[in-house]
Amino acid sequence: MRLSTKGKYGLRALIDLALHSEEEAVSIGSIALRQNISESYLEQLVAKLKKAGLVTSIRGAGGGYRLARPMTEISVGDVLRALEGDIRAVSCSAETKEGCADEELCVTKYVWQRINESIARTVDEIMLDQLVDQSRQTLEKGKDQTVDYSQKKCSG
């Protein structure tokens, strides 16, 4: 499975939102600045997250975005499905309505099924609060170090 920038940036943005929205709503601009993501691209991602019921918007002065559910109830799988759609590594014809002509004789379908189940289980077990805790620990370690994201390439 290969995630696009939608999944990678969207997950980073949601972690950032969770970290900073406990007191007040967070603006797209502040997330974009901290995460080095373009505001227009981030707006598209947040629109998908809002449609999936993961974030809510607050209008007016002091407006912005907040999590729609507690961090403990949002999994990485929820985020990736909202942004990427299907997260299976391999699509098998046997899983479709039409089926597969070789389904009865195909042994590899079990491999693809196990891989897909393993991915789904893993992303569904990792919750946003765990990532926020890990992010806080990482920020605490690097508190004395300033990171210039314009000079770094990050695949995550």
Side-chain angles (χ1 to χ4, degrees), residues 7 16 28 38 46 64-65 70 79 82-84 88 90 92 100 120 127 156:
D16 186 281
I28 293 275
S38 92
V46 171
Y65 292 88
V79 178
L83 297 169
E84 300 279 355
R88 293 179 297 170
V90 178
C92 178
C100 175
M127 304 308 283

Side-chain angles (χ1 to χ4, degrees), residues 25-70:
V26 178
S27 72
I28 293 275
S30 65
I31 297 170
L33 186 63
R34 284 189 296 268
Q35 296 301 318
N36 195 33
I37 302 170
S38 92
E39 280 190 50
S40 60
Y41 190 54
L42 192 53
E43 285 172 356
Q44 295 172 35
L45 300 178
V46 171
K48 288 184 174 214
L49 294 170
K50 184 177 176 185
K51 185 177 178 183
L54 299 176
V55 300
T56 59
S57 60
I58 298 164
R59 296 180 185 259
Y65 292 88
R66 296 189 90 132
L67 295 177
R69 302 190 322 236

Side-chain angles (χ1 to χ4, degrees), residues 15 20 27 29 50 89 95 103 105 109 123 143-144 153:
I15 293 166
H20 295 95
S27 72
K50 184 177 176 185
E95 297 173 349
E103 182 177 358
L105 303 172
K109 69 180 177 185
V123 297
K143 194 160 85 170
D144 299 327
K153 292 286 182 194

Side-chain angles (χ1 to χ4, degrees), residues 8-154:
K8 291 190 250 182
Y9 287 3
L11 187 57
R12 280 178 34 201
L14 202 61
I15 293 166
D16 186 281
L17 178 67
L19 273 167
H20 295 95
S21 68
E22 291 176 346
E23 301 295 322
E24 58 190 16
V26 178
S27 72
I28 293 275
S30 65
I31 297 170
L33 186 63
R34 284 189 296 268
Q35 296 301 318
N36 195 33
I37 302 170
S38 92
E39 280 190 50
S40 60
Y41 190 54
L42 192 53
E43 285 172 356
Q44 295 172 35
L45 300 178
V46 171
K48 288 184 174 214
L49 294 170
K50 184 177 176 185
K51 185 177 178 183
L54 299 176
V55 300
T56 59
S57 60
I58 298 164
R59 296 180 185 259
Y65 292 88
R66 296 189 90 132
L67 295 177
R69 302 190 322 236
M71 287 186 267
T72 56
E73 295 177 15
I74 298 174
S75 73
V76 170
D78 294 333
V79 178
L80 296 180
R81 286 182 190 93
L83 297 169
E84 300 279 355
D86 188 6
I87 61 168
R88 293 179 297 170
V90 178
S91 294
C92 178
S93 299
E95 297 173 349
T96 65
K97 210 189 296 184
E98 294 80 30
C100 175
D102 297 325
E103 182 177 358
E104 305 260 336
L105 303 172
C106 181
V107 176
T108 59
K109 69 180 177 185
Y110 298 108
V111 174
W112 314 141
Q113 182 181 21
R114 297 262 320 263
I115 290 170
N116 290 335
E117 288 170 355
S118 178
I119 290 169
R121 185 175 47 256
T122 299
V123 297
D124 289 338
E125 288 175 352
I126 303 170
M127 304 308 283
L128 187 58
D129 67 314
Q130 295 169 298
L131 297 176
V132 168
D133 288 344
Q134 194 162 16
S135 182
R136 284 186 178 128
Q137 290 172 14
T138 302
L139 289 171
E140 195 61 36
K141 284 181 189 174
K143 194 160 85 170
D144 299 327
Q145 301 172 8
T146 304
V147 177
D148 181 0
Y149 283 107
S150 65
Q151 301 298 315
K152 294 186 179 274
K153 292 286 182 194
C154 177

